[in-house]
Amino acid sequence: MAVSSTSRDPLGPEVSDEAVRSTCDDASQCKRYAVNMGYWKDPYIQHFARHPKERKAPEISRGYYARVEGVTRLVKAFLQKTDRNCQIINLGAGMDTLFWKLKDEDLLPGKYFEIDFPTIATRKIHTIKSKPSLSQPIMESHSGESFLIDSHSLDSTRYAIIGADLRELHKLEEAMKKCGLDPELPTLLMAECVLVYMAPENSDALLRWVADVFPTAMFINYEQVNMSDRFGQIMIDNLQSRKCSLIGVEACLSLDTQRQRFLQNGWEGAHAMDMVEVYNALPPEDVKRIEALEFLDEKELLEQLMLHYCLSWATKDAQDLGLLEITL
Ligand SMILES: C[S@@+](CC[C@H](N)C(=O)[O-])C[C@H]1O[C@@H](n2cnc3c(N)ncnc32)[C@H](O)[C@@H]1O
């Protein structure tokens, strides 16, 4: 079946940008729910998301578990290869809490940047300012006297939040340089459910810009795949009914289109695994633990969901650190 929803912003850019921004709350609420149910530990997510009023299906929480574990394992592999002498840039970070979790495990990179639309950045900064358990770790990892914090940007020694549009690369680069971005450092970029909300020419330009600017880099991407079948079309229609179009869906047709977008935009090596493969690669004792948390009736639905999301990653390795070998 052909994918029919690739038309550009039929509702106009402002309406669709607002709908895209609202996906940030969906992600953080699902993460909070799964954390409350015991799927993984994250003492910080409660500050960024309300506890959802309704019960979430176990398929959703298992899917989030595989996503968070899969991404975290790749991030840790990069930190190990670079001996933490690196920077991380979380693109479309929303209310993600990885900075605090890495700090707790003594795994912080040289600097951790988060980028999102200015309104999302402003909200996150406001929450950080009002919660000592979030602001304290930033202050502890800061080495100067005071750090910059205004309504839509925060810049400390080890952590920065930048309010910017990922489609405006010149402005983004300028803002990151002001916050001490060092293109020569090994750099990990991550995008969890972000690129699919951008038109292909914008996400291609972003991937190409990263490949041009950073000689030693890894890009981790989590988003939809196999979107040209019936189940994929239903996923597109569901989001469309919430005024949110997956305008980047043409890169999400197969694992191969996911890999090719990196290779065509200047990356040396690229991998892609659907979430069934990712789930099967996670430590069996941990999978057993989470499978005992909730009874799952619909194994087929879980499998369908997981077949329609993937983890892809690409590398460029001018410093020969062994980044091409990284796998789950
Ligand atoms: C589904 S949410 C995911 C948030 C986070 N990555 C996570 O997994 O919890 C997508 C995020 O990407 C951000 N985003 C999408 N397009 C963007 C753009 N052009 N510029 C900046 N941020 C963008 C949205 O505002 C939203 O916070």
Side-chain angles (χ1 to χ4, degrees):
M1 179 190 287
V3 172
S4 64
S5 296
T6 50
S7 59
R8 302 291 138 86
D9 295 353
L11 300 156
E14 272 144 41
V15 175
S16 41
D17 278 0
E18 198 43 53
V20 167
R21 281 190 279 271
S22 75
T23 63
C24 149
D25 292 326
D26 293 340
S28 45
Q29 285 195 11
C30 289
K31 286 179 179 176
R32 176 164 180 181
Y33 187 88
V35 165
N36 279 10
M37 297 298 290
Y39 282 83
W40 70 93
K41 290 201 171 65
D42 181 348
Y44 304 104
I45 191 74
Q46 57 174 323
H47 301 307
F48 291 113
R50 280 192 313 269
H51 185 62
K53 288 193 192 90
E54 285 139 30
R55 182 180 168 271
K56 302 237 177 248
E59 293 82 2
I60 305 285
S61 296
R62 283 197 197 180
Y64 269 87
Y65 160 78
R67 160 177 172 176
V68 170
E69 289 299 314
V71 169
T72 307
R73 287 165 73 85
L74 289 176
V75 170
K76 287 186 177 171
F78 179 86
L79 288 167
Q80 198 179 16
K81 288 278 185 202
T82 58
D83 211 10
R84 293 188 291 116
N85 185 19
C86 64
Q87 56 201 354
I88 294 182
I89 306 174
N90 192 337
L91 303 166
M95 300 297 139
D96 194 79
T97 54
L98 184 61
F99 167 79
W100 291 271
K101 291 192 285 174
L102 291 178
K103 163 97 175 42
D104 281 350
E105 292 187 57
D106 214 6
L107 284 177
L108 277 188
K111 188 144 181 174
Y112 190 103
F113 299 82
E114 292 189 338
I115 319 289
D116 211 301
F117 284 119
T119 48
I120 302 287
T122 301
R123 249 178 64 194
K124 192 160 194 176
I125 291 168
H126 180 76
T127 306
I128 292 170
K129 274 180 168 170
S130 64
K131 301 284 175 192
S133 53
L134 297 173
S135 52
Q136 198 65 32
I138 298 172
M139 288 191 272
E140 279 166 17
S141 59
H142 181 70
S143 45
E145 277 172 18
S146 59
F147 57 81
L148 170 90
I149 180 160
D150 61 30
S151 61
H152 54 265
S153 54
L154 182 165
D155 184 26
S156 70
T157 313
R158 307 292 286 277
Y159 178 63
I161 303 184
I162 297 169
D165 188 329
L166 297 169
R167 296 164 297 191
E168 296 177 355
L169 295 172
H170 286 301
K171 284 192 198 162
L172 177 63
E173 186 169 351
E174 221 170 272
M176 290 182 69
K177 283 196 169 145
K178 274 194 197 145
C179 292
L181 179 77
D182 178 359
E184 293 309 315
L185 262 188
T187 301
L188 172 63
L189 295 106
M190 44 196 292
E192 255 187 81
C193 283
V194 178
L195 300 185
V196 72
Y197 297 114
M198 297 167 69
E201 58 268 28
N202 293 125
S203 57
D204 280 354
L206 178 65
L207 295 181
R208 161 83 48 199
W209 170 74
V210 176
D212 288 347
V213 168
F214 302 96
T216 307
M218 175 168 171
F219 198 114
I220 303 175
N221 183 38
Y222 171 86
E223 67 183 0
Q224 289 84 345
V225 75
N226 294 325
M227 292 302 279
S228 55
D229 65 14
R230 180 149 171 69
F231 193 89
Q233 189 61 51
I234 293 170
M235 289 166 68
I236 292 170
D237 293 345
N238 280 346
L239 273 157
Q240 187 74 50
S241 70
R242 294 170 46 199
K243 302 186 171 37
C244 192
S245 47
L246 296 180
I247 56 171
V249 78
E250 70 191 51
C252 306
L253 298 184
S254 67
L255 292 173
D256 200 44
T257 57
Q258 287 285 1
R259 273 188 296 266
Q260 288 306 326
R261 71 178 339 177
F262 284 114
L263 299 174
Q264 286 162 5
N265 285 300
W267 292 79
E268 287 165 10
H271 307 257
M273 283 167 101
D274 66 46
M275 295 311 285
V276 172
E277 278 182 89
V278 171
Y279 193 75
N280 291 335
L282 296 178
E285 59 290 356
D286 205 35
V287 170
K288 200 168 159 207
R289 176 188 68 78
I290 67 109
E291 287 186 346
L293 291 173
E294 289 182 278
F295 176 69
L296 180 79
D297 204 10
E298 292 257 19
K299 289 225 165 60
E300 268 173 41
L301 176 59
L302 176 65
E303 181 154 318
Q304 278 302 316
L305 265 175
M306 286 195 178
L307 281 174
H308 287 82
Y309 282 94
C310 75
L311 201 46
S312 57
W313 63 98
T315 48
K316 281 190 68 202
D317 197 357
Q319 289 183 27
D320 222 357
L321 299 174
L323 301 183
L324 270 92
E325 295 151 21
I326 292 179
T327 191
L328 269 184

